[in-house]
Amino acid sequence: MKKQFAVIGLGRFGGSICREFAKMGYDVLAIDNDMEKVNEFATVATQAVQANATDEKVMKSLGIRNFNHVIVSIGEDIQASILTTLLLKESGVNKVWVKAQNDYHHKVLEKLGADRIIHPERDMALRVAQLISSEKIIDFIELSHEHSIVEIGVTDKLVNKTLTDLDVRARFGCNIVAIKRGDDILVSPIADVSLQYGDVLVVIGRNEDLNRFEDEGV
Ligand code: ATP
Ligand code: ATP
Ligand code: CA
């Protein structure tokens, strides 16, 4: 069965998510109580509907409980965001992800059982700060508070070296899970692969080990 997504609130955040889903070819139901927003997304989403998400009857008639994943992106009207989240969780929607406006909002959403709470500005600021503060790291994914996956460009120091030469696992406790080379990606690279200019290492490990690798290994 095809995955079914719904996005409630078509501001910048919800709107961008809608566009991404559409690009990826997923079915997405877009909901907003502002008719102008609904018109704007009529050609983007599979279906765009004008509705007040806090109206239980209307949401029921849209069959909202049949969606695998609903994103609530109502920021300003915290009360509406909270009530919508409550209704979605009560109706049994499997995954409800909600944009939070502040820490109080976050706390309430947590109590209601929101499956993921997002602070777009704060989360992005953290990313940007971390990327700027580390010259060598191209990108990263935070897996937990202690573990990440980072992308590190191959420096002069690494060119023509093999993974065995670098001995990354033994010296730093990190694993190179892939090497990006142009449009190719070498998944689970063998130990004697020789690194080239332009290669990007995709490395998984504990943050402290990754930092050590970044400082001393590359
Ligand atoms: P962003 O920061 O992502 O740009 P925003 O600050 O523009 O968002 P808000 O004004 O908080 O976003 O709301 C996002 C959208 O949610 C708006 O388009 C608004 O019409 C819609 N919205 C607000 N309340 C409801 C509701 N009860 N039901 C459906 N949509 C709603
Ligand atoms: P290990 O003892 O760590 O399991 P191994 O004896 O199987 O490694 P090889 O796979 O030949 O040896 O690799 C030699 C060394 O090269 C490893 O000890 C490790 O430090 C490093 N190495 C090889 N592949 C990777 C990788 N994908 N990521 C990080 N380090 C690697
Ligand atoms: Ca906003």
Side-chain angles (χ1 to χ4, degrees), residues 90-109:
E90 269 185 357
S91 68
V93 173
N94 188 18
K95 285 186 193 147
V96 180
W97 288 25
V98 190
K99 179 179 101 156
Q101 192 74 351
N102 57 47
D103 290 340
Y104 301 110
H105 189 191
H106 185 120
K107 259 198 174 151
V108 176
L109 294 172

Side-chain angles (χ1 to χ4, degrees), residues 9-10 12-13 32-34 37 51-53 73-76 80 99:
L10 304 170
R12 280 168 306 170
F13 188 69
D32 202 294
N33 60 1
D34 177 353
K37 283 280 157 65
N52 181 350
S73 181
I74 303 171
E76 246 95 292
K99 179 179 101 156

Side-chain angles (χ1 to χ4, degrees), residues 142-183:
E142 215 176 356
L143 297 175
S144 73
H145 286 301
E146 287 180 27
H147 303 85
S148 305
I149 296 175
V150 300
E151 290 189 359
I152 299 179
V154 162
T155 54
D156 288 348
K157 195 168 157 182
L158 303 189
V159 169
N160 295 327
K161 297 264 170 60
T162 65
L163 300 188
T164 308
D165 295 336
L166 300 176
D167 207 11
V168 178
R169 191 155 48 222
R171 284 173 63 209
F172 302 102
C174 309
N175 265 294
I176 298 169
V177 289
I179 300 171
K180 289 188 182 176
R181 180 168 289 171
D183 289 336

Side-chain angles (χ1 to χ4, degrees), residues 31-179:
I31 299 172
D32 202 294
N33 60 1
D34 177 353
M35 199 58 213
E36 244 177 70
K37 283 280 157 65
V38 175
N39 288 335
E40 189 186 333
F41 282 87
T43 53
V44 177
T46 315
Q47 198 188 352
V49 176
Q50 194 250 324
N52 181 350
T54 64
D55 187 331
E56 197 169 358
K57 274 198 206 119
V58 174
M59 296 304 273
K60 224 179 207 163
S61 71
L62 288 171
I64 202 75
R65 66 187 180 85
N66 299 321
F67 285 77
N68 308 96
H69 204 142
V70 180
I71 294 101
V72 182
S73 181
I74 303 171
E76 246 95 292
D77 190 348
I78 291 180
Q79 191 174 315
S81 163
I82 288 170
L83 191 51
T84 301
T85 305
L86 178 73
L87 291 176
L88 292 171
K89 285 314 292 183
E90 269 185 357
S91 68
V93 173
N94 188 18
K95 285 186 193 147
V96 180
W97 288 25
V98 190
K99 179 179 101 156
Q101 192 74 351
N102 57 47
D103 290 340
Y104 301 110
H105 189 191
H106 185 120
K107 259 198 174 151
V108 176
L109 294 172
E110 209 166 26
K111 273 266 188 275
L112 295 176
D115 297 284
R116 183 116 164 203
I117 302 161
I118 307 153
H119 297 258
E121 290 89 352
R122 197 191 291 177
D123 297 347
M124 196 62 205
L126 185 108
R127 270 187 93 68
V128 171
Q130 277 174 333
L131 288 175
I132 289 173
S133 67
S134 160
E135 284 165 20
K136 291 168 187 164
I137 289 185
I138 298 167
D139 207 352
F140 71 94
I141 300 170
E142 215 176 356
L143 297 175
S144 73
H145 286 301
E146 287 180 27
H147 303 85
S148 305
I149 296 175
V150 300
E151 290 189 359
I152 299 179
V154 162
T155 54
D156 288 348
K157 195 168 157 182
L158 303 189
V159 169
N160 295 327
K161 297 264 170 60
T162 65
L163 300 188
T164 308
D165 295 336
L166 300 176
D167 207 11
V168 178
R169 191 155 48 222
R171 284 173 63 209
F172 302 102
C174 309
N175 265 294
I176 298 169
V177 289
I179 300 171

